[in-house]
Each structure stands twice: as C-alpha cells, then as structure tokens.
Amino acid sequence: MIHLAKNADAIFTTHKYLAGRLKRYNKNTHIAPNAIDPNQPQWQTTSKVLDDMTIFGWCGGVHHQSDLELMTESLQMARENNLNLALGGYNKSVVWNNFETIFSGGDYKNYVRIEGQDVYNYGKIYDYFTTCLIPLRNNEFNKCKSELKMIEAGFKKKAVIVSDVHPYTNLINNDNCLKVDEARKTNGWFKAMKRIADSKDLEEHLANELYQSVVVKHHIKNVNKVREEVFNSL
C-alpha cells in the first residue's frame, strides 16, 4: 500500500486525519468525503416501522465484534426495559450468531433480525429501525475509518447514538446525535436509548438535524466536484 501511495499521481481520502498519514508518502493527497447518491433506489425507500414505535438498530459487517461489545451491558438493560432492538446485515455464521447474542441475549421477544443485503440494497436495512446505534472503539485503526455510518443514517433520516470518537467527531455536533463517551463506563448507551425511547420528539429532532448535516456536504454530486478538479489538473 505504501508503494502504491508513493507512485500514485494523486490520492483521494476521506478526511484530514488520514490525509495527514498519506501525505508522508505523497504530497498530492486530497480529501473527498464519503458521500451518498440519494437518487439510488435504496436511499429512496421509506420506513417499515409503525409511526409510534421506536426501534434501536445496528447494521454493518463482520469485523465489528469488539465495537458491538461496547454495548453489551447497555443492551442487556435495554432488554430488561422492553426496548425494541434490531440487528441488520445478518448472515448465517459463527460471527453473526455472536452478534445476535449480544443483541437478543438468546431469546428476547422484542428483537428483529434483518438479513444481509447486497451493495445496491444495503440502504434498505435502515428502514427497519428508527434510531441507529454506532459504537466504535477508540484506536488508531478506527481513527482512519470514515463517518460513513452517520452519513448513511442521515440520508435515511434516522436518529443516531454514536461513540464520541474520531472519525465521527468530524460530523458530530450538539444537535444531530446523542454521543457516548466510552471512558465514563456508565452505561451511556442505555441512558441515551432511554432518552430517545421516552421522547419521539427528540428522536425526530435528531434525525432531522443529522439529515441537514449531511444532505449537502455528503451529497455525491458535491463531493465529485473535488474529484473532477483533481482529475482535470493531472
């Protein structure tokens, strides 16, 4: 990867932190944030949840077990308080069965499993919950990821509870999410979930604010202007 970076005519990456790492090998590095094309059908589908329901869900890939484990105790408390939970992206495997145990505790009645989808239908998973849970451990590898899960949730107009770590701090503000400080270790995930479960107005406010945070900055047409400018300069 370092060899490729050194020999590329230009590099695009998603945020300032990773750009700083890449510029050690190639000064011609540019930031083009992750973005959504809202005209794709998967981002135009509507909620499958009844208007008066609140469902807390997570969706993602197989490499997030250590992140999901951050919520283990809070999800147990959520089950004890009869909150609705959903796990999106399920595929039959040992890893996904472990994910499901973290969410369902094995036999929780208010739990929904959402099957995995291909890249053209992945966005539809968000239709099955109203608030997205986005846990992320604070380490060097994760700092180099992007805030894509918040961007996706924003375009789907979902509320978000998110770890207060980079890269999500690129997008987090005081109005567009509830953030959880892992260092406090005080069941922050459950406390945030309970706030939203007790107030549909709060959930709708967070969802609308997050949508406003992403609809322009992370629209594919706007981000592609950066790419177009660089391509034309080579």
Side-chain angles (χ1 to χ4, degrees), residues 143-158:
K143 286 179 181 178
C144 295
K145 293 182 178 181
S146 83
E147 59 271 42
L148 181 58
K149 286 189 184 296
M150 277 189 81
I151 297 168
E152 292 172 344
F155 273 93
K156 277 291 185 173
K157 295 185 179 179
K158 305 297 176 180

mmCIF file of all heavy atoms in Angstrom, residues 143-158:
data_model
loop_
_atom_site.group_PDB
_atom_site.id
_atom_site.type_symbol
_atom_site.label_atom_id
_atom_site.label_comp_id
_atom_site.label_asym_id
_atom_site.label_seq_id
_atom_site.Cartn_x
_atom_site.Cartn_y
_atom_site.Cartn_z
ATOM 1 N N LYS A 143 -9.575 5.340 13.865
ATOM 2 C CA LYS A 143 -9.457 6.762 13.566
ATOM 3 C C LYS A 143 -9.317 7.013 12.065
ATOM 4 O O LYS A 143 -9.657 8.088 11.568
ATOM 5 C CB LYS A 143 -8.253 7.370 14.296
ATOM 6 C CG LYS A 143 -8.445 7.574 15.783
ATOM 7 C CD LYS A 143 -7.182 8.152 16.410
ATOM 8 C CE LYS A 143 -7.340 8.335 17.911
ATOM 9 N NZ LYS A 143 -6.091 8.857 18.523
ATOM 10 N N CYS A 144 -8.783 6.027 11.359
ATOM 11 C CA CYS A 144 -8.573 6.165 9.925
ATOM 12 C C CYS A 144 -9.791 5.757 9.102
ATOM 13 O O CYS A 144 -9.782 5.888 7.880
ATOM 14 C CB CYS A 144 -7.359 5.357 9.489
ATOM 15 S SG CYS A 144 -5.806 5.965 10.192
ATOM 16 N N LYS A 145 -10.835 5.259 9.763
ATOM 17 C CA LYS A 145 -12.086 4.974 9.062
ATOM 18 C C LYS A 145 -12.811 6.290 8.777
ATOM 19 O O LYS A 145 -12.346 7.367 9.140
ATOM 20 C CB LYS A 145 -12.968 4.052 9.909
ATOM 21 C CG LYS A 145 -12.395 2.654 10.095
ATOM 22 C CD LYS A 145 -13.342 1.788 10.902
ATOM 23 C CE LYS A 145 -12.817 0.379 11.056
ATOM 24 N NZ LYS A 145 -13.747 -0.472 11.826
ATOM 25 N N SER A 146 -13.976 6.201 8.143
ATOM 26 C CA SER A 146 -14.753 7.409 7.871
ATOM 27 C C SER A 146 -16.031 7.396 8.686
ATOM 28 O O SER A 146 -16.371 6.402 9.335
ATOM 29 C CB SER A 146 -15.086 7.517 6.378
ATOM 30 O OG SER A 146 -16.235 6.744 6.079
ATOM 31 N N GLU A 147 -16.766 8.487 8.618
ATOM 32 C CA GLU A 147 -18.028 8.634 9.343
ATOM 33 C C GLU A 147 -19.217 8.124 8.529
ATOM 34 O O GLU A 147 -20.348 8.603 8.655
ATOM 35 C CB GLU A 147 -18.227 10.098 9.746
ATOM 36 C CG GLU A 147 -18.269 11.107 8.610
ATOM 37 C CD GLU A 147 -16.932 11.661 8.209
ATOM 38 O OE1 GLU A 147 -15.950 10.887 8.128
ATOM 39 O OE2 GLU A 147 -16.847 12.872 7.953
ATOM 40 N N LEU A 148 -18.981 7.099 7.690
ATOM 41 C CA LEU A 148 -19.984 6.645 6.735
ATOM 42 C C LEU A 148 -21.297 6.225 7.390
ATOM 43 O O LEU A 148 -22.369 6.514 6.857
ATOM 44 C CB LEU A 148 -19.424 5.491 5.890
ATOM 45 C CG LEU A 148 -20.350 4.920 4.820
ATOM 46 C CD1 LEU A 148 -20.781 5.992 3.831
ATOM 47 C CD2 LEU A 148 -19.677 3.764 4.090
ATOM 48 N N LYS A 149 -21.247 5.541 8.534
ATOM 49 C CA LYS A 149 -22.495 5.088 9.141
ATOM 50 C C LYS A 149 -23.390 6.267 9.539
ATOM 51 O O LYS A 149 -24.618 6.190 9.405
ATOM 52 C CB LYS A 149 -22.220 4.195 10.355
ATOM 53 C CG LYS A 149 -21.738 2.805 9.986
ATOM 54 C CD LYS A 149 -21.693 1.901 11.203
ATOM 55 C CE LYS A 149 -21.113 0.543 10.846
ATOM 56 N NZ LYS A 149 -21.933 -0.198 9.886
ATOM 57 N N MET A 150 -22.800 7.341 10.014
ATOM 58 C CA MET A 150 -23.612 8.530 10.310
ATOM 59 C C MET A 150 -24.168 9.152 9.035
ATOM 60 O O MET A 150 -25.299 9.643 9.009
ATOM 61 C CB MET A 150 -22.795 9.574 11.073
ATOM 62 C CG MET A 150 -22.717 9.344 12.564
ATOM 63 S SD MET A 150 -21.962 10.759 13.443
ATOM 64 C CE MET A 150 -23.356 11.892 13.555
ATOM 65 N N ILE A 151 -23.381 9.136 7.974
ATOM 66 C CA ILE A 151 -23.823 9.697 6.699
ATOM 67 C C ILE A 151 -25.011 8.903 6.169
ATOM 68 O O ILE A 151 -26.035 9.476 5.749
ATOM 69 C CB ILE A 151 -22.668 9.692 5.683
ATOM 70 C CG1 ILE A 151 -21.527 10.597 6.160
ATOM 71 C CG2 ILE A 151 -23.156 10.143 4.309
ATOM 72 C CD1 ILE A 151 -20.239 10.422 5.367
ATOM 73 N N GLU A 152 -24.897 7.587 6.200
ATOM 74 C CA GLU A 152 -25.997 6.737 5.734
ATOM 75 C C GLU A 152 -27.260 6.979 6.552
ATOM 76 O O GLU A 152 -28.355 7.133 6.002
ATOM 77 C CB GLU A 152 -25.583 5.268 5.830
ATOM 78 C CG GLU A 152 -24.494 4.872 4.850
ATOM 79 C CD GLU A 152 -23.966 3.478 5.085
ATOM 80 O OE1 GLU A 152 -24.211 2.911 6.176
ATOM 81 O OE2 GLU A 152 -23.299 2.942 4.184
ATOM 82 N N ALA A 153 -27.099 7.004 7.872
ATOM 83 C CA ALA A 153 -28.256 7.236 8.740
ATOM 84 C C ALA A 153 -28.876 8.596 8.470
ATOM 85 O O ALA A 153 -30.105 8.744 8.480
ATOM 86 C CB ALA A 153 -27.838 7.132 10.207
ATOM 87 N N GLY A 154 -28.044 9.594 8.217
ATOM 88 C CA GLY A 154 -28.551 10.931 7.939
ATOM 89 C C GLY A 154 -29.397 10.975 6.690
ATOM 90 O O GLY A 154 -30.476 11.586 6.684
ATOM 91 N N PHE A 155 -28.936 10.342 5.628
ATOM 92 C CA PHE A 155 -29.722 10.339 4.391
ATOM 93 C C PHE A 155 -31.010 9.540 4.536
ATOM 94 O O PHE A 155 -31.973 9.783 3.799
ATOM 95 C CB PHE A 155 -28.882 9.802 3.227
ATOM 96 C CG PHE A 155 -28.070 10.872 2.546
ATOM 97 C CD1 PHE A 155 -26.761 11.121 2.939
ATOM 98 C CD2 PHE A 155 -28.605 11.632 1.527
ATOM 99 C CE1 PHE A 155 -26.004 12.113 2.331
ATOM 100 C CE2 PHE A 155 -27.867 12.630 0.913
ATOM 101 C CZ PHE A 155 -26.562 12.882 1.306
ATOM 102 N N LYS A 156 -31.043 8.613 5.474
ATOM 103 C CA LYS A 156 -32.273 7.867 5.757
ATOM 104 C C LYS A 156 -33.140 8.555 6.814
ATOM 105 O O LYS A 156 -34.185 8.049 7.198
ATOM 106 C CB LYS A 156 -31.923 6.454 6.223
ATOM 107 C CG LYS A 156 -31.643 5.487 5.082
ATOM 108 C CD LYS A 156 -32.906 5.181 4.282
ATOM 109 C CE LYS A 156 -32.644 4.137 3.223
ATOM 110 N NZ LYS A 156 -33.893 3.708 2.538
ATOM 111 N N LYS A 157 -32.679 9.710 7.300
ATOM 112 C CA LYS A 157 -33.398 10.483 8.311
ATOM 113 C C LYS A 157 -33.665 9.659 9.564
ATOM 114 O O LYS A 157 -34.790 9.586 10.076
ATOM 115 C CB LYS A 157 -34.687 11.069 7.739
ATOM 116 C CG LYS A 157 -34.430 12.090 6.640
ATOM 117 C CD LYS A 157 -35.720 12.763 6.173
ATOM 118 C CE LYS A 157 -35.417 13.800 5.085
ATOM 119 N NZ LYS A 157 -36.638 14.468 4.576
ATOM 120 N N LYS A 158 -32.597 9.049 10.064
ATOM 121 C CA LYS A 158 -32.651 8.294 11.312
ATOM 122 C C LYS A 158 -31.897 9.043 12.402
ATOM 123 O O LYS A 158 -30.912 9.722 12.129
ATOM 124 C CB LYS A 158 -32.021 6.902 11.134
ATOM 125 C CG LYS A 158 -32.624 6.078 10.009
ATOM 126 C CD LYS A 158 -34.093 5.763 10.254
ATOM 127 C CE LYS A 158 -34.700 5.017 9.081
ATOM 128 N NZ LYS A 158 -36.132 4.700 9.303
#
